[in-house]
Amino acid sequence: MGDKQIWLIGCGCGNSRYLTRQAAAAIRASELLIASSAMLHEIGADHVTIANAAETAGEVRHLIETTAKEKISVLVPWNLSEPYGQEILAALRDFHLQVIPGMAPLDYLAAKTGINTEDTLLCRNGDLPDDAEEVFTGRAFFLREPEKQEELKELLQLAGHEEAVCVWNPGRETERIFHGTAAELAKEEQFGKDSYVWVRFPEKKNLLRSGIFSGEEETTGILSVPKEIRAAVLRDLQIEKGDVIYDIGCGTGELSEEMAYLTGAEGRVFAIERSQETVETAMLRAEKTELPQKQLRFICGAVPAALAHIPAPDKAVLQGTDGTIKDLLQILISRNPAVRVTAVRRTVEGASEAVRLMDGMHFSPEMLQISMTRTLKKDGRHRLIGEPPYYLITGTHRAD
């Protein structure tokens, strides 16, 4: 709507020290800053010509519609997957937005304490399920502003000597961080507003690991890419019949199979994975499909050696690249100056790196953040279990 440049910025904990470089640059370029009064105070707006406080999504939209300013930044706490961020996105859906994701609460906690957040379940709105002990067994859980404090303390006691972390008032002068055992954390007197808790829960046998699965029961211990993410990747890649596609870090190969179906009999998908065990699992899956072997080929090895002697790609997906994305992009460009690439990332840092590198290498990347919550049925009752977001960064290299 109109020619206004609008940045929708996730501001992490709301402190200017924790803004991404892209967010800070957008704020500096803005003529108008819109945020809640509390966030305007935390961020500071001295360098902006005008700063307006808006507490609701409707107020944000009204300010944008009525201002004559052309460069506008709208600030929301944490990342865009939080409820208020989703409300703002919905209210401004007919405007042309440039979305800049921020650090999620769990990412902030991990950055401050060094915890391993793999297999962490997110409990929305501070709500603990009634059967929390079974739901969390063998996993970690993360609560934002926990409401059921007595139930939380009981869980902490059950977790005992397992690792636990809590932060109060993140990003503020009054910030306080606890990092110790769950039993020690249970002795704290107060949780609730502006407190965030992460706890590793003990293992029990015969329970599934956490993660959003592709509709199949996991038997290998290897997590697959969720079907919602695969659908978004397939859409963003714009696959055509006859395409040659690299799936680098293919995991168990579900996405590779789906891409092979779309490329048709004349297409080729080369699925690269450095784990021999994972490749064997993927090949066993593929044997159950009707795909000819020439359409889908699995290669066990590390890049760039694994890319030798295969045709140049039309499209490529970068999943588990372990910090080698720059080298991979250079290889892909050298093989096809018009290659289209989608990078799949799980952290703000990884997404920011991908955007920065792809933009600097003339891919004109676009980023999509996807957050999901699934129902988990136990004992006849359904619980909503959230997962950390995925980030998809997609662009086609300009062959200048």
Side-chain angles (χ1 to χ4, degrees):
M1 180 179 290
D3 297 324
K4 293 178 179 179
Q5 170 66 62
I6 302 173
W7 293 282
L8 183 55
I9 302 173
C11 292
C13 60
N15 188 307
S16 58
R17 290 177 297 168
Y18 298 102
L19 291 172
T20 64
R21 291 180 180 178
Q22 190 179 9
I27 291 173
R28 286 195 298 269
S30 298
E31 300 170 319
L32 172 63
L33 202 62
I34 301 175
S36 68
S37 54
M39 180 162 288
L40 287 175
H41 175 73
E42 291 290 337
I43 292 292
D46 297 339
H47 57 283
V48 179
T49 304
I50 299 177
N52 282 121
E55 309 300 331
T56 69
E59 291 176 358
V60 170
R61 182 181 178 91
H62 176 72
L63 286 172
I64 292 174
E65 289 177 332
T66 55
T67 184
K69 301 297 183 182
E70 296 294 327
K71 296 180 179 180
I72 305 166
S73 282
V74 179
L75 311 185
V76 300
W78 297 113
N79 61 4
L80 279 303
S81 64
E82 299 297 317
Y84 183 63
Q86 292 295 304
E87 291 177 12
I88 297 293
L89 278 171
L92 304 181
R93 61 184 179 274
D94 51 341
F95 286 90
H96 178 69
L97 303 175
Q98 182 176 346
V99 176
I100 302 176
M103 184 179 290
L106 184 57
D107 294 329
Y108 180 83
L109 210 57
K112 296 287 281 190
T113 64
I115 57 174
N116 180 1
T117 58
E118 182 181 2
D119 295 350
T120 296
L121 300 179
L122 307 184
C123 298
R124 297 293 183 186
N125 303 320
D127 192 19
L128 286 163
D130 294 335
D131 49 356
E133 181 180 354
E134 290 299 317
V135 172
F136 298 142
T137 293
R139 307 164 175 174
F141 66 88
F142 176 74
L143 293 117
R144 174 178 179 165
E145 301 184 340
E147 297 173 354
K148 299 179 180 179
Q149 297 195 32
E150 293 305 315
E151 289 90 339
L152 171 59
K153 291 187 177 184
E154 290 178 8
L155 280 177
L156 293 173
Q157 292 287 1
L158 286 172
H161 295 292
E162 296 292 327
E163 186 179 19
V165 168
C166 183
V167 60
W168 290 266
N169 302 319
R172 301 176 188 170
E173 293 183 359
T174 55
E175 177 181 277
R176 182 165 70 92
I177 294 178
F178 170 91
H179 192 177
T181 69
E184 291 169 340
L185 181 58
K187 297 176 183 179
E188 290 286 342
E189 294 184 0
Q190 186 66 37
F191 301 101
K193 184 172 177 58
D194 290 329
S195 64
Y196 301 79
V197 178
W198 176 92
V199 180
R200 175 68 61 187
F201 217 73
E203 292 276 356
K204 280 187 180 179
K205 294 182 179 179
N206 303 320
L207 287 176
L208 293 177
R209 292 172 56 192
S210 70
I212 299 177
F213 306 133
S214 57
E216 302 173 0
E217 191 169 288
E218 184 187 43
T219 58
T220 64
I222 303 167
L223 296 181
S224 60
V225 178
K227 59 180 179 291
E228 292 84 357
I229 304 303
R230 301 200 308 270
V233 171
L234 295 174
R235 180 202 62 206
D236 287 356
L237 272 184
Q238 301 174 7
I239 295 172
E240 299 178 358
K241 296 293 185 182
D243 273 346
V244 174
I245 304 176
Y246 294 176
D247 187 3
I248 300 175
C250 66
T252 48
E254 292 94 333
L255 178 60
S256 305
E257 294 172 15
E258 292 165 350
M259 292 191 294
Y261 279 112
L262 292 177
T263 62
E266 300 305 316
R268 299 289 184 273
V269 173
F270 296 93
I272 297 100
E273 172 62 51
R274 65 181 180 180
S275 166
Q276 182 65 45
E277 178 187 2
T278 306
V279 170
E280 290 173 358
T281 300
M283 293 178 70
L284 286 173
R285 285 181 51 88
E287 287 177 2
K288 300 176 183 178
T289 71
E290 299 178 356
L291 285 169
Q293 187 174 359
K294 68 176 184 177
Q295 279 183 244
L296 175 57
R297 177 183 166 190
F298 288 96
I299 302 173
C300 182
V303 294
L307 303 179
H309 312 301
I310 61 177
D314 298 293
K315 314 282 168 59
V317 180
L318 310 182
Q319 298 190 59
T321 52
D322 291 340
T324 61
I325 183 172
K326 181 177 181 180
D327 295 337
L328 280 171
L329 291 172
Q330 291 173 339
I331 292 170
L332 295 173
I333 294 169
S334 70
R335 294 193 170 196
N336 177 7
V339 68
R340 185 170 180 81
V341 174
T342 292
V344 182
R345 290 292 177 267
R346 297 300 309 275
T347 66
V348 171
E349 292 82 2
S352 296
E353 179 195 33
V355 170
R356 177 179 61 82
L357 290 172
M358 291 177 70
D359 191 44
M361 299 172 77
H362 308 295
F363 276 88
S364 299
E366 294 183 356
M367 180 162 62
L368 173 67
Q369 175 186 300
I370 303 176
S371 299
M372 295 172 291
T373 303
R374 281 199 191 280
T375 55
L376 176 66
K377 184 177 181 180
K378 288 185 68 67
D379 302 324
R381 306 182 72 178
H382 290 81
R383 305 295 179 195
L384 291 175
I385 303 297
E387 288 285 335
Y390 280 78
Y391 302 93
L392 307 185
I393 304 93
T394 302
T396 300
H397 187 255
R398 298 195 304 274
D400 296 333

